[in-house]
Every structure is written in structure tokens, then in C-alpha cells.
Amino acid sequence: MSTRFSRAGRWLFGSHPQSLQETATTVLKYGCLAYVVRTYGVGATFCVGPSMLPTFNSFGDIVLFEHVSAYTNRIQAGDVVIARSPQNPGNLVCKRVLGLEGDFVKVAASTYLGPARTVQVPAGHVWLQGDNALNSTDSRSYGPVPYALIEGRAFLKVWPATQASWVKRQLS
Amino acid sequence: MSAAASRVWISKLKAAAWAVPVTICFNDVIAGPFLIAGSSMQPTLNPKSEDPSASDDVVLVQKWTVRLQRYCRGDVVVLRSPTEPDIYIVKRIIGLEGDWLSVPGQLEIEKIPKGCCWVEGDNARESHDSLNNDRFGSIPVALVQGRVSHVLWPLSRIGRVSSSVPPGRLLAKNETAFQHSEY
């Protein structure tokens, strides 16, 4: 075992020999703490897919997101959010909020998604759309999304390091 | 207080503080209690009682089944309201994605879209659900937070919450709903 690993192990588990039960308790404790921070505080995720080009690359970007604005109802139009997919409960989608409840959203005409129209977002819902309108499955196809599905707001792109930047709130 | 005594107290407090993340984690991932409000699930939950001071039901909500995406028609579930994000509602799942349902009061039958479910309260008059009052229709199944498995309180009705689909509503069942396949 390398020195570095055993040093980390000593920091976590203490220097004296431990029983299996003590080790399991430590793993459980820190696992739970990591879960709580990730679920209610700040987490990191891969953003995969072409729908958020050019804000995020289609593969390999790591984005930090915070959950506080989601559960304190501070999400605003223009924020990039991570939400449970309304089409597949196991997936997360990363899109931009284009309208909150009551807002009117203009949808451009497209071959697949029908003619141009203006939609009013119903109560308790948001309108999500990818920045890459030509290649994004979003509210234009599945309609407004319940606000409750929003998990967090993306605020910092950390990888690739050369493109690291804050994720800005913007409406085109 | 002597230094040694305060050190003992600090280590005790530290040990107690660990209970917080462990409890939250258990409640979110495995199961936790939930207080039922309102009458939308009568007579299954909060049944009418002669005693006006009767307390609301406390139920056990299973979370791990939902995390594994095991949704079953007929189950009572806790979900976040699609129209009011801060509110949790308790309803029964009638149909899942790809099912065809007959809807009382309308001639057309309804197909539930991908990723969605149809929920109704047992007490149609008081319930705001896919069919009654608000009539929000099919809603994303991702709103479901857990499955109501047992009544914990009052002690006189402690026991399992049974799963049942109202007869005659489900016209065609999608056998592959939420099994990671395109129907």
C-alpha cells in the first residue's frame, strides 16, 4: 500500500488499528455526509449531449451546480438548471429556463415541432430549452416542466480547465 | 468546567452531530415517516371519524423502490404537486407510460405519454389530481418521491396500505413501462 494512501487512511480512520465495524461506521458516516452535501448543497456533474452548445461542449464538461436556489424558489428566467427528465425519471437534463409561471414564451417554427407559437407557462411550471435550438429535446417537444423537477442551478464550469468560467444568467 | 470535562462534552456533541446526516440520508434513500394532510385519500388514509379531535395519519414512505424506478399501478405514492412546487400530495397511481385509460366523463380514451403517470385520490370529490378538480392530466413520474407502504399512526389502524386499481379504468397495459425501453 502506498504511503499516500495510508496517510489518507490514517486521516480518515485514525492511526490505531480498527475493527471492521469501526471502519464500516466511518465509511457510512462520511458517505451520508457526502450525500447530504451533494443533495442539498453543491454537486458536480458531467454535462453530456449537444443540446447546450455553445455554453457547454457536447462531451466531457464538468459543471458545478447548487441546490439552494432550487428549493428556496430563487430560480429565474435565464438560469441554466439541472432537472429530472420528464420523459425518463432516471435521467437528468441540463437546460436553460426561458420562462417562469405566467410568462409568455415565443417558440420558433420548426419542421418537427410545429409552427411558431406563443405559449403561456402554467402555474408551478417552467419552460426549459437548450441553447442549441437545432438539436435539443426540451419543452418545445414535451411542454412546460413542473418546477419541482428542478434539482439545481449550474453556476460554474470547471472542466475543461481552459474554458473554466461562471455560468451566466442570460436570455437571448 | 475543567478542560478534561469540556473535551469529553465536545466529543459527545461531535458523535451526536453525526446523527444529522445519517438520519437525512436514511430518510431520503430508504424510508421515512410522513404526515398525511387533507381528505383526498379517504377512506384509505385520514378516514372520516366521529371524533373531531382525531389526529392525522402518519404513514411510512418507502423511498428505495422509487429510486430503483419501480412504479406500480395501484400504489399509493407521495409526490410533489405539479402546480404548487412546495406542496407534497398523496395519490394513487392509476396508469403508467404507454397505458390506455378510460376517463370518466369523456368519450375519448387517453394514452399516457412517455415518462408520465396518471394519479387520482381515492376521494374524488376532495382530490386535486389528474382527473378531478385541477384536472392536471398526466404528470411526469419523476415527481413521485416515495411509496406509502404502511400506516404507522393511529395505532388502531397500523398495518400495510394495500395496492388496488379501480376496476374498468385500465384498458390496455404497457407491460414494459419504465423498463428502459421505448414503447
Side-chain angles (χ1 to χ4, degrees):
Chain A
M1 207 181 289
S2 77
T3 331
R4 195 187 299 163
F5 180 81
S6 52
R7 195 178 293 155
R10 272 204 301 279
W11 177 76
L12 260 182
F13 302 113
S15 50
H16 58 90
Q18 278 192 319
S19 70
L20 194 63
Q21 193 192 337
E22 281 173 313
T23 315
T25 313
T26 312
V27 169
L28 181 77
K29 280 194 319 194
Y30 282 91
C32 288
L33 187 65
Y35 168 85
V36 170
V37 170
R38 208 190 165 289
T39 315
Y40 299 99
V42 175
T45 186
F46 280 106
C47 270
V48 182
S51 74
M52 281 302 282
L53 283 167
T55 313
F56 301 140
N57 299 305
S58 52
F59 185 76
D61 281 18
I62 299 175
V63 176
L64 294 190
F65 56 100
E66 49 94 5
H67 299 277
V68 183
S69 1
Y71 57 71
T72 53
N73 294 334
R74 288 207 194 119
I75 299 289
Q76 291 182 25
D79 282 343
V80 176
V81 296
I82 284 157
R84 290 256 146 230
S85 163
Q87 294 194 308
N88 183 348
N91 279 2
L92 290 171
V93 295
C94 181
K95 307 278 177 208
R96 200 180 286 278
V97 176
L98 290 198
L100 301 174
E101 59 175 9
D103 290 356
F104 290 91
V105 181
K106 278 194 181 128
V107 181
S110 99
T111 318
Y112 298 106
L113 305 166
R117 56 197 189 275
T118 305
V119 186
Q120 187 175 20
V121 183
H125 286 63
V126 292
W127 191 269
L128 300 182
Q129 226 169 283
D131 284 359
N132 183 6
L134 296 176
N135 194 349
S136 168
T137 309
D138 48 37
S139 283
R140 291 172 301 166
S141 57
Y142 46 65
V145 174
Y147 182 97
L149 294 187
I150 295 179
E151 301 257 303
R153 181 179 72 90
F155 68 98
L156 181 64
K157 178 158 120 176
V158 290
W159 195 264
T162 49
Q163 298 169 10
S165 63
W166 299 103
V167 179
K168 289 195 192 71
R169 175 183 294 162
Q170 61 181 43
L171 282 171
S172 51
Chain B
M1 205 190 290
S2 73
S6 66
R7 220 173 296 137
V8 169
W9 271 107
I10 286 169
S11 72
K12 274 186 182 169
L13 277 178
K14 264 188 187 167
W18 276 111
V20 176
V22 174
T23 313
I24 293 174
C25 197
F26 187 88
N27 180 57
D28 279 14
V29 177
I30 301 177
F34 183 83
L35 180 68
I36 304 287
S39 50
S40 76
M41 282 302 286
Q42 282 172 355
T44 314
L45 302 169
N46 276 359
K48 276 206 181 80
S49 101
E50 259 90 271
D51 179 11
S53 66
S55 60
D56 285 343
D57 286 7
V58 177
V59 293
L60 182 69
V61 181
Q62 265 183 8
K63 310 284 169 68
W64 60 272
T65 40
V66 168
R67 287 197 169 248
L68 299 174
Q69 289 159 42
R70 290 187 199 157
Y71 308 98
C72 295
R73 298 166 192 86
D75 278 359
V76 180
V77 291
V78 176
L79 46 122
R80 293 187 64 174
S81 163
T83 48
E84 292 156 278
D86 297 333
I87 291 182
Y88 287 80
I89 56 178
V90 180
K91 301 283 174 252
R92 200 180 280 281
I93 297 183
I94 309 293
L96 297 174
E97 62 171 18
D99 289 354
W100 288 93
L101 286 184
S102 73
V103 180
Q106 82 178 44
L107 284 172
E108 297 87 22
I109 58 174
E110 195 124 356
K111 189 182 192 192
I112 303 176
K114 182 170 160 51
C116 290
C117 64
W118 185 276
V119 295
E120 286 174 23
D122 287 0
N123 182 2
R125 196 180 299 172
E126 296 289 326
S127 175
H128 293 256
D129 54 37
S130 298
L131 172 66
N132 307 297
N133 299 315
D134 281 359
R135 288 191 78 104
F136 46 65
S138 299
I139 55 167
V141 82
L143 289 168
V144 174
Q145 306 289 308
R147 175 180 159 258
V148 176
S149 65
H150 294 79
V151 175
L152 299 178
W153 186 266
L155 290 175
S156 57
R157 288 192 298 109
I158 199 164
R160 271 174 195 247
V161 174
S162 62
S163 176
S164 70
V165 185
R169 297 290 307 283
L170 198 61
L171 300 177
K173 192 165 155 183
N174 171 24
E175 298 290 347
T176 58
F178 300 112
Q179 291 173 4
H180 312 287
S181 62
E182 299 286 323
Y183 61 82

